[in-house]
């Protein structure tokens, strides 16, 4: 017996199937390619989840912005340190109020933000980049949203401010390539070229990467990561696809910056599912 599974298939389940004598093969292409293009009703459902993400993001940034900066650099509110866990609880409460949930919401500050997959923990500090990545799934219909912003409470060092402007420019460059018929790798290369023009290099040292270490985006739907992939692999965008555009930069000793929006591909360009303001220093 043989089964073909998607790339994100749980390893534990695969191991149990193999013990039962089932040969598990990972698919090289999406199992359901027709899911890449969304129907109007699907886009409305993704928009619901994205709207919840936007409202939760505003609540999270408001919580960070209302803090005071203690002499030791920690963010405090009513005499206590504000932590990544507390900001995550603020996000969770908003999402639940909108019939959504999000596992492993990212609130990562300072050195933690250098790892794009780090969830974040502990007290937050001023003058450091805080990456907030919210990806809610709707409890009723199961469609996802995806949104990332990076903020600094207080004044950002010049190095972080320069990084932020480069990431914002890279997102604009990638979005300028988005339209039906566009090659997905060229969307990604547009972001890469913008970083290179700004002097930001991507390198690997001792097995760890720095710079722009992930793809520019991915499809969103019934899975948080689904076709198409906006990286080095070649593909074509089609009208009706819901995709993220999320360039980022990550440097040890400085911090991490990522900006992400989920947009809908149109015949001549793209449109936001739900717009969300971008403000760096709060």
């Amino acid at each position: 017996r043989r089964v073909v599974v998607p790339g994100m298939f749980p390893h534990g389940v695969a191991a149990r199937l193999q013990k039962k004598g089932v040969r598990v093969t990972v698919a090289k292409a999406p199992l359901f390619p027709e899911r890449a293009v969304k129907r109007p009703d699907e886009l409305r459902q993704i928009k619901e989840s994205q709207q919840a993400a936007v409202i939760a993001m505003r609540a999270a940034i408001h919580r960070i912005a209302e803090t005071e900066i203690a002499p030791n650099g920690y963010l405090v509110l009513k005499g206590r340190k504000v932590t990544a866990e507390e900001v995550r609880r603020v996000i969770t409460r908003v999402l639940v109020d909108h019939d959504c949930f999000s596992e492993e919401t990212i609130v990562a500050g300072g050195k933690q933000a250098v790892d794009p997959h780090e969830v974040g923990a502990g007290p937050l500090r001023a003058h450091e980049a805080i990456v907030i990545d919210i990806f809610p799934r709707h409890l009723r219909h199961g469609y996802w949203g995806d949104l990332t912003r990076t903020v600094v409470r207080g004044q950002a060092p010049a190095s972080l401010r320069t990084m932020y402007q480069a990431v914002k420019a890279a997102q604009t460059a990638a979005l300028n390539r988005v339209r039906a018929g566009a090659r997905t790798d060229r969307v990604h290369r547009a972001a890469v070229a913008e970083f290179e023009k700004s002097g930001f290099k991507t390198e690997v040292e001792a097995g760890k990467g720095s710079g722009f270490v992930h793809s520019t985006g991915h499809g969103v739907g019934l899975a948080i990561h689904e076709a198409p992939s906006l990286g080095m692999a070649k593909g074509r965008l089609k009208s009706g696809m819901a995709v993220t555009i999320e360039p980022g930069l990550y440097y040890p000793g400085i911090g991490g910056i990522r900006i992400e929006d989920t947009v809908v591909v149109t015949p001549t360009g793209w449109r936001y599912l739900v717009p969300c303001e971008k403000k760096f220093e709060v």
Side-chain angles (χ1 to χ4, degrees):
R1 290 178 295 171
R2 175 177 173 266
V3 295
V4 181
V5 300
M8 299 299 287
F9 192 76
H11 178 267
V13 177
R16 289 168 66 184
L17 286 171
Q18 287 170 329
K19 284 184 179 180
K20 297 284 187 180
V22 178
R23 203 175 94 203
V24 179
T25 303
V26 178
K28 294 181 179 180
L31 293 178
F32 306 100
E34 63 274 16
R35 275 176 45 181
V37 176
K38 305 308 190 280
R39 302 184 307 268
D41 62 303
E42 290 181 292
L43 291 175
R44 287 193 295 271
Q45 290 167 323
I46 298 170
K47 183 176 180 178
E48 278 189 81
S49 299
Q50 190 69 9
Q51 181 69 65
V54 169
I55 296 170
M57 182 66 73
R58 289 171 177 160
I61 293 174
H62 176 75
R63 175 55 55 92
I64 292 169
E66 69 179 347
T67 63
E68 296 179 356
I69 301 172
N72 58 7
Y74 287 108
L75 303 185
V76 297
L77 190 63
K78 297 179 180 178
R80 54 178 175 74
K81 293 177 182 177
V82 173
T83 64
E85 291 87 349
E86 178 183 340
V87 176
R88 199 153 36 240
R89 285 194 293 271
V90 169
I91 293 167
T92 298
R93 283 194 290 268
V94 172
L95 295 181
V96 169
D97 286 344
H98 289 81
D99 297 325
C100 292
F101 77 96
S102 178
E103 293 181 353
E104 298 185 339
T105 298
I106 292 172
V107 182
K111 295 178 180 178
Q112 295 177 0
V114 173
D115 179 353
H117 301 294
E118 170 61 47
V119 171
L124 299 173
R125 298 180 63 89
H127 320 306
E128 295 182 344
I130 304 170
V131 175
I132 307 170
D133 191 345
I134 305 172
F135 34 100
R137 186 183 188 193
H138 203 280
L139 292 167
R140 176 169 50 82
H141 50 64
Y143 283 85
W144 295 75
D146 206 354
L147 177 70
T148 304
R149 292 291 183 265
T150 304
V151 297
V152 170
R153 176 71 177 103
Q155 186 173 2
S159 57
L160 278 179
R161 197 176 297 119
T162 303
M163 278 175 60
Y164 185 84
Q165 293 304 323
V167 171
K168 196 173 179 183
Q171 191 195 39
T172 298
L175 285 168
N176 286 341
R177 290 276 188 172
V178 172
R179 63 181 55 82
R183 274 177 37 179
T184 53
D185 61 314
R186 288 182 178 173
V187 176
H188 177 67
R189 289 178 189 278
V192 171
E194 187 63 37
F195 285 136
E196 290 176 347
K197 185 175 76 173
S198 302
F200 289 99
K201 296 181 180 180
T202 297
E203 300 173 324
V204 178
E205 188 174 333
K208 293 186 177 181
S210 64
F212 185 25
V213 297
H214 53 72
S215 65
T216 296
H218 55 84
V220 176
L222 286 171
I224 184 58
H225 294 96
E226 61 181 43
S229 173
L230 283 77
M232 294 304 294
K234 293 180 181 179
R236 294 279 181 181
L237 293 177
K238 295 180 181 179
S239 185
M241 287 180 168
V243 299
T244 69
I245 301 295
E246 50 175 310
L249 289 172
Y250 312 88
Y251 291 105
I254 301 175
I257 305 284
R258 184 166 67 258
I259 302 172
E260 174 187 32
D261 289 282
T262 300
V263 303
V264 180
V265 180
T266 69
T268 58
W270 57 274
R271 60 180 171 83
Y272 287 115
L273 270 168
V274 184
C276 182
E277 55 277 359
K278 299 177 179 76
K279 187 176 182 182
F280 187 42
E281 294 168 301
V282 298

